[in-house]
């Protein structure tokens, strides 16, 4: 049996179409096929979706995988593709676009399934699905109403109405007692159009109308219409019949007019029970049993599809459109108000919590069709904001950005630029912009939003503080660590005054401030803050909570910066296993473990760092700062092992990418360049290393100051460059200054300070100082560490740079 996902139920009354099914099969061997309405039925109703469903079931055994993707809206399409990624065994990237690209590439390669069928339903914008179209031995089938498909994208196959024999078969399958003559009369009047035939058959079954009576009613209704198409007339008869049998059911179906083509669950309709409604519809939605019965009756009249479990209704776009055209402006406004209220009542809240994501996945497709952006009620707009955050939290940054940008544009006009929810949407838009690489746009928007919030709501407003935290993130991304520290320190004081020091958002702010301190080289201050934050989080969160694990990773980075490499393992022990292998915490823990192993001289450090880099590439991509920092850590291991060529390739590539991602003057770019200088120096190219180091140290002194660990590491290397050039006096002065600063900043017993002491003693040819330095290194590292092979050979020691998370 093939793996299946999202495939609608098979139509047990499907008839005919043998020639079309054969043509689909033949054309798919040449590339994607798009099923379109025939030229005389551009609005649809010819059975494209049913044809695609039947093809999928009929040929399922020839495929390893069959996956159905609703493509009417981008967010729903991306969610379905993300589900396919799990079935393909692909790691989930933080950015959903990377996951979707991996899906396309895996299908194209035929890994792990060579023969597959992917169906894109209602893909009405070819440009939306083109980035996700795979190639290879599999097949892509598309249904669409849009004729703008070029042969380069897909082969167009118009789906015509039934031939007469198939039309008669369909009618007799629904009513076996129907004579061939009566079936022929009906088919003739309905133009053999599949949707009209199906509606007529359903209504006759539900009402018991004989063929003659049905045709009489058909003619009367057709005479009332200016353009009496078969679908419009048969729909009107079905809607009227439903309204006569159960008026509340028709109202329920009218509500679905304002929802998307995505399946509508009874739970969503049930949410309307809290709203002020007409008595009859209120009685129906108040009790689950009655609501489910109404859904069954709607399906019985052919006006919607009901899944086999009776859980979800699916209303055809044509049916939705015709209901909408029949409504008066007053009735339209009233029903739209109810639908918006129903959707907001179904909002589970807490969009960051994965436990509620399935609820948001159901709500999000309906936002556009119900025009939630135009809702007047505050709770309706809050649902929009929560959906923006939901998309962001699950990694669909494009959907988050698109929805947030639409909300900001609409609400600025309707509510004003300084309205609370306009500013909230702006805050979330900035987050999404940053996530898709538009850091400058995010920074500018955040600054504008923060200024307005402070003017309108004050600096102590919770939303203002959240934006200020985001601005702190922007400052870190720019490399302005000191400014970020000032802002986050002010935020923390305000958070603690307003909410107390153990409030979750106050702890997040404390976490951010510790990041700032760590980036500034103040590992002692960061450690004190991280230890306090971890204690609070352990007290208020369950074991294994992501924020507690994040605090552990932060504390481990602090210990590493303080030179306590054995302490790193103690903090992380047993906790990385509490999350998935590609979870950010697990990747941070893996990188720290590799870094500490390298510093401790363990043989497995290089393998650990190699595996961690590959995992980061899969999760974050090659241009992510965490990935680039991991490449720098691996390069340190590789250089120490003597593989200078591989280390140079790693660092050269990382430096180029740091320049592209963070800019030329960012401290991380400069620190990575210092690492590259170390490899160049190890290869004996001291002049080239000096050129790099002099440029780097100048930039670091400007950006983070002369006492920063990055600057001290670069200065240690530059001193070696000067000695190699025969400039003994300036080299010695720089080495002595670096040692003095390192003792103050890092501490006298820090391994990097001891390395600086050894280098100065070596330059001075001071044997007593050399013995003292080696003895101190022995206390720091223990016996048998590789560092002693270097000192025994009378060579200088490098002080490598590792980058903490931004």
């Amino acid at each position: 049996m093939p793996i299946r996902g999202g495939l609608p139920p098979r139509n047990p009354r499907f008839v005919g179409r043998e020639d079309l099914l054969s043509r689909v099969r033949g054309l798919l061997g040449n590339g994607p096929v798009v099923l379109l309405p025939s030229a005389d039925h551009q609005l649809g109703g010819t059975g494209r979706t049913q044809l695609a469903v039947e093809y999928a079931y009929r040929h399922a055994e020839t495929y390893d995988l069959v996956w159905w993707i609703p493509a009417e809206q981008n967010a729903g399409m991306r969610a379905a593709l993300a589900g396919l990624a799990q079935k393909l065994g692909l790691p989930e990237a933080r950015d959903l676009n990377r996951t979707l690209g991996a899906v396309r590439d895996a299908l194209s390669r035929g890994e792990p399934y060579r023969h597959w069928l992917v169906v894109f339903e209602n893909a009405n914008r070819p440009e939306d699905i083109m980035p996700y179209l795979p190639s290879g031995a599999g097949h892509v089938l598309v249904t669409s109403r849009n004729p703008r498909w070029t042969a380069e994208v897909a082969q167009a196959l118009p789906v015509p109405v039934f031939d007469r024999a198939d039309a008669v078969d369909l009618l007799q399958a629904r009513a076996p007692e129907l004579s061939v003559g009566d079936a022929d009369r009906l088919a003739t009047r309905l133009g053999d159009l599949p949707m009209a035939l199906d509606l007529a058959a359903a209504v006759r079954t539900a009402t018991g109308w004989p063929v003659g009576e049905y045709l009489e009613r058909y003619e009367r209704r057709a005479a009332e219409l200016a353009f009496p198409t078969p679908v419009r007339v048969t729909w009107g008869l079905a809607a009227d019949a439903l309204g006569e049998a159960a008026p509340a059911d028709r109202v329920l179906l009218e509500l679905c007019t304002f929802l998307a083509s995505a399946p509508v669950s009874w739970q969503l309709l049930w949410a309307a029970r809290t709203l002020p409604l007409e008595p009859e519809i209120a009685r129906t939605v108040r009790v689950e049993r009655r609501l489910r019965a109404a859904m069954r009756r709607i399906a019985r009249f052919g006006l919607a599809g009901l899944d086999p479990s009776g859980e979800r209704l699916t209303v055809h776009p044509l049916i939705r459109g015709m209901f909408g055209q029949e409504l008066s402006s007053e009735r339209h406004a009233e029903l739209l108000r109810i639908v918006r209220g129903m959707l907001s009542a179904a909002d589970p809240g807490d969009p960051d919590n994965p436990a509620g994501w399935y609820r948001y996945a159901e709500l999000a497709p309906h936002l556009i069709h119900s025009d939630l952006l135009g809702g007047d009620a505050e709770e309706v707009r809050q649902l929009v904001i929560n959906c923006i955050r939901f998309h962001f939290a699950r990694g669909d940054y494009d959907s988050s950005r698109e929805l947030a940008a639409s909300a900001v544009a609409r609400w600025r006009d309707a509510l004003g630029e300084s309205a609370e929810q306009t500013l909230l949407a702006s805050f979330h838009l900035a987050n999404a912009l940053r996530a898709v690489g538009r850091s400058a746009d995010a920074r500018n928007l955040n600054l504008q939003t923060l200024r307005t919030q402070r003017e309108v709501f004050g600096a102590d407003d919770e939303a203002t503080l959240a934006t200020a935290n985001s601005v702190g993130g922007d400052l870190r991304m720019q490399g302005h660590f000191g400014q970020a520290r000032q802002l986050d320190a002010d935020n923390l004081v305000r958070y603690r005054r307003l909410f107390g020091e153990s409030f979750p958002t106050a702890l997040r702010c404390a976490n951010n401030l510790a990041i700032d301190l760590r980036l500034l080289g103040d590992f002692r201050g960061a450690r004190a803050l991280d230890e306090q934050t971890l204690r609070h989080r352990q007290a208020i969160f369950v074991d294994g909570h992501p924020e507690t694990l994040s605090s552990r990773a932060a504390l481990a980075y602090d210990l590493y910066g303080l030179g306590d490499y054995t302490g790193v393992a103690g903090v992380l022990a047993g906790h990385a296993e509490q999350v998935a292998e590609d979870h950010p915490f697990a990747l941070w823990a893996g990188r720290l473990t590799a870094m500490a192993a390298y510093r401790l001289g363990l043989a497995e450090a290089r393998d650990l760092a190699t595996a961690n880099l590959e995992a980061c590439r899969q999760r974050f991509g090659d241009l992510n700062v965490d990935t680039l920092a991991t490449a720098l850590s691996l390069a340190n291991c590789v250089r120490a092992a003597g593989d200078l060529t591989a280390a140079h390739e790693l660092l050269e590539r990382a430096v180029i990418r740091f320049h592209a991602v963070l800019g030329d003057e960012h401290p991380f770019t400069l620190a990575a360049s210092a690492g590259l200088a170390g490899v160049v120096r190890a290869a004996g190219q001291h002049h080239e290393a000096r050129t790099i180091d002099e440029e780097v140290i100048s930039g670091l002194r400007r950006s983070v100051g002369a006492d920063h660990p990055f600057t001290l590491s670069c200065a240690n290397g530059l001193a070696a460059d000067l000695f190699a050039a025969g400039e003994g006096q300036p080299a010695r002065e720089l080495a002595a200054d670096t040692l003095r600063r390192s003792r103050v900043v890092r501490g006298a017993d820090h391994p990097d300070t001891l390395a600086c002491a050894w280098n100065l003693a070596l330059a001075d040819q001071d044997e007593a100082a050399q013995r003292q330095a080696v003895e101190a290194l022995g206390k720091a590292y223990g016996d048998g560490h590789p560092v002693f092979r270097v000192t025994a050979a009378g060579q200088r020691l490098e002080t490598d740079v590792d980058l903490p998370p931004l």
Side-chain angles (χ1 to χ4, degrees), residues 484-499:
R485 179 189 59 189
Q486 291 176 350
L487 179 61
D488 288 333
D490 179 71
N491 288 346
L492 183 57
V493 170
R494 296 177 187 276
Y495 265 120
R496 285 177 169 173
R497 184 176 69 245
L498 293 168
F499 305 109

Side-chain angles (χ1 to χ4, degrees), residues 716-777:
N716 182 55
L718 179 56
D721 301 333
L722 295 173
F723 276 118
E727 300 181 30
Q729 185 58 29
R732 190 194 177 285
E733 291 175 359
L734 179 58
D737 180 70
T738 302
L739 174 59
R740 179 182 59 79
R741 293 177 185 274
S742 186
R743 283 171 172 162
V744 173
V745 173
R746 295 167 169 149
D749 297 327
H750 192 286
D752 284 347
T753 301
L754 301 177
C756 291
W758 162 260
N759 291 342
L760 180 59
L762 195 65
D764 287 343
Q765 299 181 352
D766 185 339
E767 294 184 2
Q770 290 176 27
R771 287 193 299 272
Q772 185 179 3
V774 169
E775 183 181 345
L777 286 167

Side-chain angles (χ1 to χ4, degrees), residues 31 50 64 134 138 143 196 262 498 554 597 611 645 792:
Q50 287 301 316
D64 304 316
T143 72
L498 293 168
T645 300

Side-chain angles (χ1 to χ4, degrees), residues 703-725:
S703 61
V704 291
D707 290 335
H708 194 282
F710 293 174
T711 312
L712 297 177
S713 292
C714 183
N716 182 55
L718 179 56
D721 301 333
L722 295 173
F723 276 118

Side-chain angles (χ1 to χ4, degrees), residues 367 372-373 378 380-389 392 397 399-413 415-434 441-442 445-446 448-450 453 457 463-464 466-467 470:
L367 265 60
L372 244 65
L373 295 174
E378 188 176 34
V380 171
R381 294 192 294 271
Q382 186 60 47
L383 172 58
V384 174
I385 290 171
N386 286 348
C387 285
I388 293 168
R389 183 63 193 177
F392 185 91
Y397 303 136
S399 294
S400 181
R401 175 183 52 81
E402 291 167 4
L403 183 56
S406 297
V408 170
R410 289 283 297 275
W411 294 349
R412 277 177 176 168
D413 290 340
L415 307 175
E417 289 193 4
S418 61
E420 180 179 8
Q421 289 178 314
T422 304
L423 294 169
L424 275 175
S426 299
F427 162 75
H428 288 295
L429 175 57
N431 283 340
L433 289 169
R434 187 191 304 113
D441 292 338
L445 180 57
N446 263 333
Q448 176 186 341
T449 302
L450 182 60
Q453 286 175 320
F457 304 109
T464 304
T467 305
S470 189

